[in-house]
Amino acid sequence: MAHRLTKPLRLLLLGAPGSGKGTQTSKLLKFYPELYSLSSGDIFRQQIAAKTKLGLEASKYIENGSLVPDNIVTGLVVDHLTKEVILPDIKHWILDGFPRNIEQAKSLDTSLAHTIAGNNNKCVFNLVVELDVPQQIIIDRIVNRWVHIPSGRVYNLQYNPPKVPGKDDITGEPLSKRPDDTEEIVSKRLKDFNLLVKPLKEYYQNLGILKVVSGETSDIIFPKLLDIIKKNF
Ligand code: ADP
């Protein structure tokens, strides 16, 4: 059944690599079909698959688990948000993977917060939810993760395998293994995340829009996330 939001929702999902941001986004999109989602990681993977100049540049960083430099990623996300969300005046949207650090958060707000109608002019988001998942579970998950690059849909061989092995459920197209989803590279990505997330959380906490949901599986986390949205939007 299609559910509706009663107030504009501008949601940031924060969480370690493998915490299930993509999975929660898919579930939210099914529940609220009017929601629009944008993932910085998906944009990069699409650019890499299309072998664009930006994709080639970004892949140097992504493949070894490093973050793409702020100036590249911020420009890209601001551009996508402007063209796909703000100009067409999309009211309800989710961002996943950006901002990843405090500098990106501030640049995003400086560039776009004032362009959103009815906003308090300080922050582009009006809800930030951190998905808090134990880190030993995360490593296990990522090593078993497969992705449908054009849509960003994620599958896990243990928890939510595709209906046909190796194929996306909706399009039937092949799934890929991300080159940065190895145990070694994941450890590096987790370390970076832990370092960067603290100031980011403080920033949104100070704006009064941060919530945290904890759980070991996406099925435990989703109802908690939904509850927060239903109560406030
Ligand atoms: P995950 O959350 O599983 O690490 P993503 O799909 O969000 O993966 O991102 C994959 C990679 O893309 C990151 O490891 C990083 O190299 C790059 N990337 C994505 N978003 C950002 C960002 N906001 N800042 C810098 N690099 C980014």
Side-chain angles (χ1 to χ4, degrees), residues 55-125:
L56 286 176
E57 177 68 18
S59 68
K60 291 191 282 191
Y61 302 95
I62 295 178
E63 280 174 14
N64 68 26
S66 303
L67 290 181
V68 177
D70 286 348
N71 59 337
I72 300 182
V73 63
T74 303
L76 185 75
V77 173
V78 166
D79 205 48
H80 269 71
L81 265 180
T82 306
K83 287 198 188 113
E84 293 174 25
V85 173
I86 294 176
L87 290 178
D89 200 18
I90 293 197
K91 297 273 182 271
H92 311 289
W93 47 272
I94 314 178
L95 205 56
D96 142 9
F98 184 93
R100 271 269 216 299
N101 59 34
I102 186 80
E103 288 78 19
Q104 293 180 3
K106 289 182 176 164
S107 311
L108 180 67
D109 286 343
T110 309
S111 314
L112 292 184
H114 64 284
T115 63
I116 295 166
N119 194 13
N120 64 7
N121 282 351
K122 276 197 185 145
C123 182
V124 302
F125 303 108

